[in-house]
Amino acid sequence: MSPGLLVSSIAGNWNFSLWSVALFAGAFLVTFVVSLAVVGGVLVRLPATYFLGRCGPKLWIDQHPFVRWCGIFLKNGLGWALIALGTVLSLPGIPGQGLLTILLGVMLLDFPGKRTLERRLIGMPRVLRRVNRLRARFGKPPLVLEEPKQGENDRGTQ
C-alpha cells in the first residue's frame, strides 16, 4: 500500500461534524472544570500540617471488619482511578491538573512509603507554589512540609 493511499484512507475514515466537535469541546470543558473543582476542594480542606510525619486516625477503625475492609478497598480503588486519570491529564493537550490529581490519588492509597511519595510530589516547587496559592485564595494557611527548626521560633523573643 502506497503512503498516499494510506493517508487518503485514514482521512476518509475521519468524519467530523459540527455536532462531534461541539461534543468533544463540551467534554473537554466539563472534565477540566470537574478536575479543578474536586482536586482544588480537597487540597483547600487539607490541614496545613497534613504532610508532616504524623499519622491520623485509621479509616473506620470502630466499624465491623467487613465494613472497614470494604471501605479500604473502595478508597484504594478510587485512588488508583485518580492516578490513572491524573496520568492522562498530564499529557499535552488534555485539560486538567494532572500532577495534583495524581497526588490526590496517592493520598487515598495505602502502601508502605506513601508519606515519602506524597511529600516528594507536593515538595516539587511548582506544585507546592500552586497549591499554596490556591489555599491562600480561600484564606487557608500554606502547607507545612517540615517542622520549624528549634531556634527559629525563639529568634524574635531575644
Side-chain angles (χ1 to χ4, degrees), residues 90-102:
S90 294
L91 298 174
I94 308 288
Q97 299 293 321
L99 284 178
L100 296 179
T101 306
I102 292 171

Side-chain angles (χ1 to χ4, degrees), residues 40-61:
V42 169
L43 290 173
V44 166
R45 285 179 178 79
L46 281 179
T49 58
Y50 177 84
F51 292 102
L52 292 179
R54 303 179 211 125
C55 290
K58 298 288 184 187
L59 177 68
W60 294 339
I61 196 72

Side-chain angles (χ1 to χ4, degrees), residues 56-69:
K58 298 288 184 187
L59 177 68
W60 294 339
I61 196 72
D62 57 343
Q63 298 293 323
H64 186 274
F66 179 76
V67 173
R68 177 173 158 67
W69 281 106

Side-chain angles (χ1 to χ4, degrees), residues 18 33 39 42 72 78-79 94 99 111 128 135 138 142:
L18 185 59
V33 170
V39 173
V42 169
I72 290 171
L78 181 60
I94 308 288
L99 284 178
F111 62 90
L128 184 60
R135 290 175 60 84
F138 288 93

